[in-house]
């Protein structure tokens, strides 16, 4: 609308979009918890497992068993480990770039290439 | 999209493995080439692999009362081209097949084909197509990544329907059955994955501008001066 507020509008807008996206993410996670119908005994059965059941219903017998089958408790721990490994690398990289861009901004961004 | 261990007949298991293998080998070569030719992209590459690692570890609830996976391969395919993700997805799927009894070694080929090949190529083609008609970078990423997720599960449905055609209605009937199981559950998850990819890209665009420019993103590099 007016030209005076452009600077503030810019920062406002750059914060609004990610916030809206995060809210949408949370909604996408919470809404199923509230509205999803219960399928049988368990809630939120994996579709992979359901597909397996559908195949078993045709009378098919798997011809190869997993080389290693962790029990449910151990399995959730290993899934957590997988997520933790990924998250640590991902956020290490984001943290590295974040620190670098802050330093560069503080130094007034030299135009020369750095190593 | 993880077809469980032993749940594809041997002939199908072998066929999908043979089909996926060249993509994975080519992908491994591309990873080596990329990290040699564009060393500044190495950290971003690690981030893309890590993103897939995190997302495929998490089962997300959906409105159908089922849960399912995001794949995380779309954004990496857009940034680094699809072959790279064929290799990274294979690493993730081997980890899950060996340690988590999730997916399997006999079904590795089929699962790689769905998550590491069809998904990434869908993301890349959609992104390029949308950019070609001047859709904004962020919107194009969202649509491309969400579609890649759906395409991955559509591929799994095709694979299962080929192996287990319905006695009455054949391949198409079985495909409708498997796709029906995945489709509705998958839509909200595809949207979730699209949003996550956009958030990641926005963050990278701000703090790793130079690296994204090297890969051809962000402000169009105004006629690159001589590269040493």
């Amino acid at each position: 609308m007016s030209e005076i507020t452009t600077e503030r509008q810019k920062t406002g807008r750059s914060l609004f979009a990610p916030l809206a996206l995060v809210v949408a993410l949370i909604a996408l996670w919470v809404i199923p918890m509230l509205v999803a119908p219960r399928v049988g005994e368990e809630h939120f059965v994996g579709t992979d497992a359901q597909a397996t059941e559908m195949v078993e219903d045709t009378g098919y017998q798997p011809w190869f068993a997993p080389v290693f089958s962790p029990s449910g408790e151990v399995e959730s721990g290993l899934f957590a480990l997988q997520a933790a490994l990924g998250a640590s690398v991902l956020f290490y990289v984001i943290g590295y770039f974040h620190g670098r861009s802050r330093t560069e901004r503080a130094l007034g961004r030299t135009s020369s290439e750095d190593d | 999209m993880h077809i469980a261990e032993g749940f594809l007949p041997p002939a199908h298991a072998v066929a999908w493995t043979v089909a996926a293998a060249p993509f994975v080998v080519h992908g491994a070569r591309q990873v080596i080439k990329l990290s040699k030719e564009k060393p500044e992209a190495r950290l971003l590459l690690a981030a893309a692999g890590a993103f897939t690692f995190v997302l495929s570890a998490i089962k997300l609830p959906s409105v159908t009362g089922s849960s399912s996976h995001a794949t995380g391969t779309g954004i990496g395919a857009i940034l680094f081209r699809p072959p790279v993700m064929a290799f990274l997805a294979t690493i993730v799927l081997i980890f899950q097949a060996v340690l988590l009894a999730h997916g399997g070694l006999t079904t590795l080929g089929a699962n790689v084909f769905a998550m590491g090949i069809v998904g990434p190529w869908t993301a890349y083609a959609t992104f390029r197509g949308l950019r070609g008609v001047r859709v904004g970078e962020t919107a194009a990423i969202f649509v491309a990544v969400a579609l890649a997720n759906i395409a991955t599960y559509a591929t799994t449905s095709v694979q299962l329907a080929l192996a287990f055609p319905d006695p009455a209605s054949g391949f198409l009937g079985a495909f409708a059955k498997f796709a029906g199981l995945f489709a509705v559950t998958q839509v909200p998850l595809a949207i979730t994955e699209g949003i996550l990819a956009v958030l990641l890209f926005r963050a990278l665009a701000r703090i790793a501008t130079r690296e994204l420019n090297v890969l051809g993103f962000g402000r169009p590099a105004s006629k690159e001066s001589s590269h040493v």
Side-chain angles (χ1 to χ4, degrees):
Chain A
M1 295 252 174
S2 73
E3 286 147 44
I4 319 156
T5 51
T6 45
E7 195 56 37
R8 281 186 79 179
Q9 275 180 338
K10 255 182 205 164
T11 47
R13 207 174 292 156
S14 71
L15 257 183
F16 173 75
L19 269 181
L21 289 176
V22 170
V23 169
L25 274 183
I26 295 172
L28 278 166
W29 196 81
V30 169
I31 290 170
M33 296 295 180
L34 302 176
V35 305
R38 274 184 184 273
V39 185
E41 303 256 304
E42 273 183 275
H43 216 181
F44 296 118
V45 182
T47 47
D48 288 343
Q50 286 175 303
T52 307
E53 272 171 34
M54 282 166 77
V55 171
E56 272 175 334
D57 287 346
T58 66
Y60 178 82
Q61 293 289 327
W63 57 281
F64 198 83
V67 281
F68 166 69
S69 274
S71 71
E73 304 301 315
V74 178
E75 186 187 315
S76 58
L78 285 168
F79 265 113
L81 179 70
Q82 188 195 330
L85 282 174
S88 40
V89 173
L90 180 62
F91 288 104
Y92 168 81
V93 174
I94 289 179
Y96 172 86
F97 283 133
H98 183 69
R100 189 192 66 183
S101 69
R102 260 175 85 170
T103 312
E104 281 176 354
R105 219 166 289 149
L107 291 174
R109 180 157 289 178
T110 48
S111 57
S112 62
E113 289 243 284
D114 55 355
D115 292 12
Chain B
M1 63 39 50
H2 297 76
I3 300 177
E5 184 76 283
F7 270 84
L8 280 181
H12 287 256
V14 170
W16 287 113
T17 305
V18 170
F23 288 90
V24 177
V25 173
H26 176 61
R29 287 217 188 104
Q30 291 300 114
V31 168
I32 296 167
K33 194 174 153 215
L34 184 75
S35 55
K36 263 189 198 151
E37 287 175 3
K38 295 178 179 170
E40 55 279 66
R42 274 183 208 164
L43 270 180
L44 274 188
L45 186 62
F51 188 69
T52 298
F53 230 64
V54 179
L55 282 202
S56 61
I58 297 170
K59 278 187 190 165
L60 290 163
S62 184
V63 283
T64 51
S66 308
S67 67
S68 197
H69 289 275
T71 64
T73 54
I75 185 73
I78 292 170
L79 291 179
F80 297 106
R81 299 184 37 83
V84 168
M85 294 319 287
F87 178 69
L88 294 180
T90 305
I91 295 176
V92 174
L93 287 169
I94 289 176
F95 180 95
Q96 294 187 321
V98 172
L99 287 178
L100 299 167
H102 205 67
L105 295 174
T106 60
T107 50
L108 182 66
N111 290 335
V112 166
F113 204 89
M115 175 174 150
I117 298 168
V118 175
W121 277 104
T122 304
Y124 184 74
T126 308
F127 179 77
R128 288 282 146 217
L130 289 176
R131 290 296 283 153
V133 292
R134 304 200 174 278
V135 174
E137 230 166 29
T138 320
I141 285 177
F142 173 78
V143 176
V145 169
L147 270 185
N149 182 304
I150 300 278
T152 301
Y153 279 81
T155 308
T156 303
S157 305
V158 169
Q159 291 167 335
L160 287 170
L162 282 172
F164 306 101
D166 192 84
S169 48
F171 166 78
L172 282 179
F175 175 75
K177 194 177 69 173
F178 287 113
L181 165 67
F182 291 126
V184 192
T185 300
Q186 214 55 35
V187 169
L189 302 192
I191 296 172
T192 300
E193 182 164 355
I195 294 176
L196 281 171
V198 166
L199 283 172
L200 179 68
F201 183 79
R202 284 177 60 104
L204 291 177
R206 216 179 57 238
I207 58 180
T209 322
R210 215 179 308 154
E211 283 74 12
L212 285 183
N213 283 345
V214 168
L215 294 171
F217 290 86
R219 283 162 278 161
S222 51
K223 275 179 192 167
E224 293 246 324
S225 50
S226 60
H227 255 295
V228 185

